[in-house]
Amino acid sequence: MLSIASTASLRVYVSEWENGKRPISERYAKILRALLGATDDELHGKHVAQTTAIEADGYDELVNRIDAARGVSLTMVKTFMDQTELLRTVDRQMGAASLIDQMTGHLSTLEDALTFAVLPETRRPVALALAGAATLAAWQALDVGAVERAWRHYELGKRAAKEADEPMYLAHAMAEQAYVLCDAGRPEVAVQLVRDAQREGGKMMSPRLRAWLYAAEAEICAKAGMPEECRRALDNAMNLLPPGEEARDPDMLSIFLNQGHLARWHGNVLALLGDDNAVSSLYVALDSADPTFVRATAGLRCDLAQAHLARGEYDQAHTHLREARLLASRTGSVRHRRRIEQLTQRL
């Protein structure tokens, strides 16, 4: 603590320093810094320029992004959808594991375009492209075992489909999301969701999509232990499927379904029910299988193994599991590998 004499001396010193009559020493500078809260530049008489920080308010950047989104033309939307189609093709043949980074970037670009698009005529086409891409990304995430990411992508796809006012895309996203519930051990809730998807799509759906939804319902009903409902849904799928070899739905590009695809699905459902007729249906599907559907073929081999196991034909089951394992490794499908291990334990 300063004495009275020291305090008086300091007052005189400060007075002389303030009037410019005395330079400040380091000893008193230390004291003044503590007492006055002054900086060294202020104590030594140096001028300190006042700088006013101008914080960016963000409006310029926002307007720039809105203007950029307004410039998204129908040509650009087609480019987005073509990119989704390319990713779908690679996924079908090589699996989803190698596409995670590309798919993440693709979704991010579409989300940004939709976030900063203002008017409905700009938003709807972008939302449609996002709905298709998000549903594909969700199925890929489910295949590689990223369950929560799959769920979030399906939610994104559903929101985008509603924004685009596209009930077909909404119904498709809902029905695929039901598989997440089914894999999570909630097949009863999954049945309700796939039926809600059918109601959501209503009369706006194409016949091929309606057949696909009934086939999905049949599979999920089989897993839920509902054989009568399962067979009824399967009959509906067969009755609704358009004739001919064409598999692609022009109104719903993610849907591939013809008699060959449905035969595989039919065999899969019968195998889940433990029906002896599953084997013949599955071999018909195997003979007509499109070789580019590598991951689907892995599933078909699993179905055959399950059907042979139900009949006590363990050698044939082992053969199909070996082939399924090779295909699952080729595509990196965690979902199929999990099923293969479950079936292997029954040998």
Side-chain angles (χ1 to χ4, degrees):
M1 179 178 289
L2 293 174
S3 65
I4 296 176
S6 297
T7 303
S9 175
L10 182 60
R11 286 199 185 111
V12 172
Y13 194 101
V14 170
S15 177
E16 292 179 352
W17 165 67
E18 289 178 336
N19 293 324
K21 295 179 180 180
R22 179 184 297 211
I24 192 162
S25 69
E26 182 57 34
R27 175 190 172 195
Y28 283 111
K30 184 176 180 180
I31 297 172
L32 291 171
R33 276 197 299 269
L35 292 177
L36 304 179
T39 65
D40 285 344
D41 286 343
E42 290 170 335
L43 292 174
H44 291 287
K46 295 180 181 178
H47 176 70
V48 180
Q50 296 294 321
T51 58
T52 303
I54 302 175
E55 295 184 1
D57 56 19
Y59 281 106
D60 288 342
E61 181 180 355
L62 175 62
V63 169
N64 286 338
R65 300 191 75 168
I66 289 173
D67 289 344
R70 187 174 58 189
V72 174
S73 63
L74 292 178
T75 302
M76 182 61 72
V77 172
K78 183 180 182 304
T79 301
F80 288 147
M81 299 188 82
D82 288 345
Q83 179 68 16
T84 301
E85 179 64 16
L86 175 61
L87 291 166
R88 182 181 290 115
T89 302
V90 175
D91 167 59
R92 190 168 66 239
Q93 299 185 38
M94 300 178 63
S98 62
L99 296 176
I100 294 174
D101 290 342
Q102 296 97 309
M103 202 72 231
T104 300
H106 185 45
L107 281 184
S108 179
T109 300
L110 283 165
E111 284 189 86
D112 274 356
L114 182 60
T115 297
F116 295 101
V118 178
L119 300 178
E121 60 265 28
T122 304
R123 293 182 64 85
R124 287 195 189 104
V126 178
L128 179 63
L130 178 57
T135 304
L136 173 61
W139 190 256
Q140 291 175 343
L142 183 62
D143 187 55
V144 300
V147 180
E148 183 176 343
R149 188 167 79 237
W151 187 268
R152 291 183 182 277
H153 285 337
Y154 280 127
E155 288 298 310
L156 174 61
K158 292 190 308 187
R159 290 196 301 272
K162 290 177 182 177
E163 173 90 27
D165 194 20
E166 288 286 348
M168 287 181 61
Y169 279 77
L170 177 58
H172 179 237
M174 291 172 67
E176 280 199 358
Q177 192 176 32
Y179 280 92
V180 184
L181 291 168
C182 205
D183 287 358
R186 296 293 183 273
E188 296 82 5
V189 184
V191 170
Q192 295 177 34
L193 183 57
V194 75
R195 288 174 176 171
D196 282 344
Q198 293 166 355
R199 286 189 287 271
E200 194 71 45
K203 296 181 180 179
M204 301 298 294
M205 295 188 296
S206 66
R208 200 177 305 273
L209 177 58
R210 291 180 66 198
W212 185 92
L213 287 169
Y214 275 118
E217 180 189 352
E219 181 180 353
I220 295 171
C221 282
K223 292 179 179 179
M226 304 164 62
E228 295 304 318
E229 290 90 335
C230 166
R231 294 179 188 280
R232 185 163 53 248
L234 200 56
D235 288 342
N236 287 335
M238 291 178 173
N239 292 333
L240 284 168
L241 182 65
E245 294 299 316
E246 179 59 45
R248 199 76 183 269
D249 191 331
D251 299 317
M252 189 79 223
L253 295 180
S254 54
I255 296 298
F256 293 82
L257 191 66
N258 59 16
Q259 292 297 332
H261 291 282
L262 190 55
R264 179 186 65 81
W265 220 331
H266 180 253
N268 165 255
V269 170
L270 293 181
L272 291 171
L273 294 177
D275 192 312
D276 282 347
N277 294 322
V279 171
S280 57
S281 293
L282 289 169
Y283 276 112
V284 169
L286 185 62
D287 289 340
S288 62
D290 186 332
T292 66
F293 285 73
V294 177
R295 186 171 55 204
T297 304
L300 177 54
R301 293 284 185 177
C302 288
D303 295 337
L304 276 162
Q306 184 163 349
H308 280 299
L309 280 171
R311 294 162 56 146
E313 298 166 349
Y314 298 107
D315 289 343
Q316 295 93 324
H318 185 272
T319 299
H320 287 296
L321 282 176
R322 184 176 63 249
E323 293 295 326
R325 187 175 286 106
L326 290 172
L327 293 172
S329 296
R330 180 175 159 188
T331 60
S333 175
V334 174
R335 191 166 182 257
H336 281 318
R337 284 205 296 261
R338 186 183 300 119
R339 187 181 177 200
I340 290 165
E341 291 308 314
Q342 291 170 348
L343 291 171
T344 301
Q345 291 174 9
R346 294 171 54 185
L347 286 174

